[in-house]
Amino acid sequence: IRTKMVKVIPQHKDKLGNELAVGDAVCYPVSNTLYIGTVIKINTKMVKVQKVSKSKYPAECNKYPDDIVKLHNSDVTFYILQNQ
């Protein structure tokens, strides 16, 4: 008898201790710049983040949860409206 292993989604916490989930708005560093993005996938050790951008193909990158800070959705909305 074969049984399927259920894949457990890891729980990651940001720099301030907030739990991260798919769809959360976050701020993350790339080189010497901070970017705003959304969590699109949670891997076992890292979190895949997609940059908030006007581009047709926004940039994606993997970041350690300790490098990310979760934002409130109202902050992201204000950022998008400000940078149109």
Side-chain angles (χ1 to χ4, degrees):
I1 297 175
R2 288 189 173 183
T3 59
K4 289 190 174 187
M5 298 288 287
V6 177
K7 196 172 195 178
V8 178
I9 298 173
Q11 292 293 321
H12 291 303
K13 294 188 177 185
D14 71 351
K15 190 77 168 178
L16 302 176
N18 301 316
E19 284 195 15
L20 295 171
V22 174
D24 284 345
V26 294
C27 185
Y28 64 96
V30 175
S31 296
N32 290 333
T33 308
L34 284 175
Y35 290 107
I36 293 178
T38 55
V39 175
I40 58 172
K41 185 178 179 185
I42 295 180
N43 299 315
T44 54
K45 292 185 179 182
M46 301 180 96
V47 177
K48 183 171 270 203
V49 183
Q50 183 177 35
K51 180 182 171 188
V52 171
S53 164
K54 297 178 194 174
S55 171
K56 187 175 179 181
Y57 303 104
E60 297 177 357
C61 63
N62 287 323
K63 291 290 175 185
Y64 286 105
D66 199 39
D67 294 338
I68 295 174
V69 176
K70 186 175 177 180
L71 300 174
H72 296 287
N73 289 335
S74 58
D75 294 335
V76 178
T77 304
F78 182 71
Y79 172 80
I80 292 170
L81 291 174
Q82 207 175 23
N83 292 312
Q84 282 187 345

